[in-house]
Amino acid sequence: MAAPLRIQSDWAQALRKDEGEAWLSCHPPGKPSLYGSLTCQGIGLDGIPEVTASEGFIVNEINKKSIHISCPKENSSSKFLAPYTTFSRIHTKSITCLDISSGGGLGVSSSTDGTMKIWQASNGELRRVLEGHVFDVNCCRFFPSGLVVLSGGMDAQLKIWSAEDASCVVTFKGHKGGILDTAIVDRGRNVVSASRDGTARLWDCGRSACLGVLADCGSSINGVAVGAADNSINLGSPEQMPSEREVGTEAKMLLLAREDKKLQCLGLQSRQPVFLFIGSDAFNCCTFLSGFLLLAGTQDGNIYQLDVRSPRAPVQVIHRSGAPVLSLLSFRDGFIASQGDGSCFIVQQDLDYVTELTGADCDPVYKVATWEKQIYTCCRDGLVRRYQLSDL
């Protein structure tokens, strides 16, 4: 990865006025950072500012919401995208998690203000408040239908809600510590939860029963992912016949991002180990990119890309800053990552630049969700930001 470029978080506003300025910088690893500035030389008839960069930086292209900057000396290039719109009225405090429904119509989010809310994705208008967890809600997501929400809280409870009338239809109890992440298996007859108690569990939604402890690793499980396995991967065989209530677990892998610096992969149905990888620090999040490629992010800013078929050495390690990697999401032919320093970026295979989603000023971006060409982020500053990729 080329040296990361950074820009003033409110650059789009700053450069909208004559002689307005915004700072930018380039951070080559192991070398002194380069600092520069952008200056608005006037606004064109189309409303787009004419912007020049100080020595060492080049403005390749600018639109109302995006600016493409290069630093030729470091062979580094980034396209910065400003939010299309910002929702400030959903929550009053830090937003820890969010998701967008499969139809793109609804958002769900949880906050340290103690609430979990469903809102209209187009304008942030409040639709429902989901009340029932004791203490904070750590994670929330829609089922594939888009009509039902799964949440996990510090109260060690996992709950299923109707997005239509906000009723809690199922509560799962069994964990001994707060639930930190969840995953939905196929269409959602079964779900997986990961907890501070060191276990990952499989649940039967129809009967609100635990189908088993998938892993007990003696260390907090911060993130979990379920993915379909390439058929070249040996997932092992279950020791006993799986319950007929297990639906869609065959040929799937379960990935666990653990606090004890370990990334663990096992067969979801077999519960047999596939690999155990030791990283540089606690793993916070993980996701599958394909039937054999995966990503996992650590507390010290590393993003490991691993191939399940040969997991001993990473395919690559991406390190853009020492800030914790907080979320990872497969996106088109690449991924979106967010970090504790407010950076949120998209890496795509065929592009020679990184797309940076700007706006958060050093506040952690906890979670990212996408729907078609729209990207939503939630942040410690209490804002949901929506980005329009067509603005690129």
Side-chain angles (χ1 to χ4, degrees):
M1 290 284 288
L5 290 169
R6 302 215 170 92
I7 198 168
Q8 186 172 316
S9 63
D10 61 350
W11 63 271
Q13 284 96 318
L15 297 175
R16 217 176 268 150
K17 46 188 182 283
D18 225 353
E19 295 183 6
E21 282 198 336
W23 60 262
L24 55 103
S25 55
C26 179
H27 303 266
K31 289 200 271 185
S33 296
L34 306 165
Y35 295 93
S37 63
L38 299 166
T39 308
C40 173
Q41 307 292 351
I43 309 288
L45 293 171
D46 51 6
I48 294 170
E50 289 173 35
V51 174
T52 54
S54 59
E55 197 186 338
F57 296 93
I58 295 171
V59 178
N60 303 315
E61 189 193 2
I62 182 164
N63 293 313
K64 278 186 180 165
K65 294 281 186 187
S66 71
I67 188 166
H68 187 179
I69 309 270
S70 297
C71 176
K73 181 172 178 252
E74 293 300 333
N75 197 16
S76 191
S77 182
S78 280
K79 203 171 244 195
F80 296 97
L81 184 60
Y84 177 77
T85 180
T86 299
F87 305 141
S88 58
R89 296 211 295 271
I90 302 173
H91 294 286
T92 54
K93 286 188 185 167
S94 172
I95 305 174
T96 47
C97 193
L98 95 168
D99 193 24
I100 301 295
S101 65
S102 51
L106 294 176
V108 63
S109 54
S110 57
S111 164
T112 57
D113 64 13
T115 65
M116 177 167 46
K117 294 177 178 178
I118 290 176
W119 34 274
Q120 217 153 313
S122 57
N123 58 12
E125 206 174 285
L126 187 64
R127 297 294 295 273
R128 298 277 180 267
V129 179
L130 306 178
E131 291 174 311
H133 277 288
V134 191
F135 313 126
D136 281 355
V137 180
N138 291 327
C139 47
C140 53
R141 65 169 70 239
F142 283 100
F143 277 79
S145 69
L147 303 172
V148 186
V149 168
L150 176 68
S151 66
M154 286 309 276
D155 56 7
Q157 297 186 60
L158 193 64
K159 287 179 177 284
I160 296 177
W161 311 78
S162 160
E164 293 168 301
D165 65 5
S167 60
C168 175
V169 286
V170 173
T171 299
F172 298 113
K173 293 180 181 177
H175 278 294
K176 307 272 191 295
I179 292 165
L180 301 178
D181 199 12
T182 62
I184 292 174
V185 183
D186 272 4
R187 297 209 340 266
R189 304 261 301 271
N190 294 172
V191 296
V192 175
S193 59
S195 165
R196 289 172 84 150
D197 66 15
T199 67
R201 290 172 179 258
L202 183 70
W203 305 87
D204 171 4
C205 296
R207 288 193 182 156
S208 59
C210 182
L211 289 169
V213 175
L214 299 169
D216 187 350
C217 47
S219 167
S220 182
I221 303 172
N222 297 322
V224 61
V226 168
D230 186 80
N231 37 21
S232 62
I233 294 159
N234 177 17
L235 296 177
S237 306
E239 281 168 14
Q240 55 231 50
M241 189 74 181
S243 152
E244 79 284 352
R245 302 291 302 175
E246 252 187 62
V247 183
T249 56
E250 64 282 348
K252 296 222 173 39
M253 300 177 280
L254 175 68
L255 195 57
L256 306 175
R258 295 169 31 172
E259 184 67 24
D260 61 2
K261 307 186 185 182
K262 292 180 179 142
L263 182 70
Q264 180 181 358
C265 182
L266 50 149
L268 180 57
Q269 188 183 69
S270 70
R271 329 290 206 242
Q272 301 296 321
V274 175
F275 73 79
L276 189 66
F277 177 84
I278 299 172
S280 54
D281 202 348
F283 280 99
N284 290 331
C285 52
C286 55
T287 191
F288 286 101
L289 296 177
S290 72
F292 51 85
L293 281 178
L294 60 92
L295 292 176
T298 61
Q299 186 65 14
D300 60 355
N302 285 326
I303 298 172
Y304 290 89
Q305 185 178 0
L306 297 178
D307 187 326
V308 181
R309 300 165 303 185
S310 54
R312 283 215 179 99
V315 178
Q316 62 170 338
V317 181
I318 296 167
H319 185 92
R320 289 171 59 83
S321 82
V325 181
L326 300 175
S327 79
L328 289 165
L329 182 65
S330 170
F331 182 71
R332 296 188 180 170
D333 56 356
F335 66 89
I336 309 177
S338 73
Q339 289 187 264
D341 57 1
S343 74
C344 184
F345 58 92
I346 311 173
V347 176
Q348 285 176 271
Q349 238 85 78
D350 52 349
L351 299 181
D352 58 354
Y353 59 84
V354 173
T355 305
E356 301 266 357
L357 305 178
T358 62
D361 186 6
C362 301
D363 273 307
V365 175
Y366 290 114
K367 196 82 178 175
V368 181
T370 60
W371 185 74
E372 292 188 350
K373 286 190 168 175
Q374 294 166 26
I375 299 176
Y376 295 78
T377 64
C378 67
C379 181
R380 188 174 69 187
D381 61 14
L383 300 179
V384 170
R385 292 179 174 86
R386 177 176 142 215
Y387 301 84
Q388 202 76 26
L389 277 192
S390 45
D391 284 342
L392 289 170

